[in-house]
């Protein structure tokens, strides 16, 4: 049995610039990484790419001790490096206002670290689809970039917002991480919150469960299995007037 990984990215209908970004690889580490830039901050499409590639570099540097990776040290290292790069590029720190979701395989388990908002999906052939949504009060995610500016960080914390992980309400800085076993026919997907942005031609919101079920219905696991499935699902949606107004980025792991 082997674990395949693939990714997909598509701009939302309400956007002129895609502020999501996603990368995946099967060597030297099997990983999927996505970043979702904040639409109200400038140049987060660039920041999202910086964060994703720094996360990739972090995993590759630690490929021989992936079991030792910890949530807070990894996030701190990535955002501090991103801050240095942003300064060299003459970008504002707010260009790094972006969700970062990192997932990788180790010993036939998928480890996931979420810094911001998004969705985590898990499916086994003999069980219902599991969807965990991570969201923030007032739709204001706590980004890693707040750590680069003490005053900005404190201003955010003073708002006393919370985040919701599935059915649980927690503090905004609470680490969000998952481990999923990869057994025969198991699939794990990480997604930006764009998966929740589908609407029909009357403007009614389509429940995330419906889109997620379509996205996870893989027919052929060879090659670009995620790109094929999502392109087909979105094409079918568009024929019936359904569109996603927010950017979508996602990556999936599949045991076959």
């Amino acid at each position: 049995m082997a674990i395949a990984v693939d990714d997909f990215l598509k701009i939302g209908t309400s956007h002129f610039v895609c502020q999501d970004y996603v990368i995946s690889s099967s060597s030297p580490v099997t990983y999927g990484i996505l970043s979702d830039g904040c639409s109200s901050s400038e140049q987060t499409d660039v920041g999202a790419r910086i964060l994703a590639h720094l996360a990739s570099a972090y995993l590759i540097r630690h490929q021989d001790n992936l079991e030792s990776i910890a949530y807070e040290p990894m996030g701190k290292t990535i955002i501090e490096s991103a801050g240095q790069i942003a300064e060299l590029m003459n970008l504002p720190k707010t260009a790094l206002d972006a969700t970062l979701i990192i997932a990788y395989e180790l010993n036939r388990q998928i480890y996931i670290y979420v810094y911001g908002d998004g969705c985590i999906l898990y499916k086994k052939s003999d069980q219902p689809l599991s969807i965990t949504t991570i969201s923030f009060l007032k739709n204001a995610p706590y980004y890693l970039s707040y750590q680069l500016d003490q005053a900005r960080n404190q201003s955010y914390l003073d708002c006393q917002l919370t985040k919701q992980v599935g059915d649980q309400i927690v503090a905004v800085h609470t680490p969000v991480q998952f481990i999923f076993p990869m057994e025969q026919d198991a699939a794990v997907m990480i997604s930006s919150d764009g998966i929740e942005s589908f609407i029909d031609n009357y403007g009614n919101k389509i429940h995330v469960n419906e889109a997620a079920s379509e996205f996870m219905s893989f027919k052929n696991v060879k090659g670009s299995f995620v790109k094929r499935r999502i392109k087909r699902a979105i094409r079918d949606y568009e024929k019936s007037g359904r569109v996603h107004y927010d950017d979508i980025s996602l990556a999936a792991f599949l045991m076959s």
Side-chain angles (χ1 to χ4, degrees), residues 79 83 86-87 91-97 145-146 148-150 152:
I79 196 59
E87 185 175 355
L91 291 171
K93 292 177 182 177
T94 53
L96 301 172
D97 289 352
S145 57
Y146 287 110
L148 298 174
D149 186 324
Q150 185 175 356
R152 190 167 180 246

Side-chain angles (χ1 to χ4, degrees), residues 5-24:
V5 62
D6 189 29
D7 60 65
F8 178 82
L9 175 68
K10 192 172 187 296
I11 190 171
T13 58
S14 67
H15 288 190
F16 293 104
V17 175
C18 184
Q19 293 161 315
D20 277 21
Y21 187 65
V22 62
I23 51 177
S24 63

Side-chain angles (χ1 to χ4, degrees), residues 196-200 203-207 245:
E196 302 176 77
S197 72
F198 279 93
I199 55 175
D200 63 22
N204 300 313
K205 200 161 187 179
I206 297 169
H207 197 282
Y245 57 81

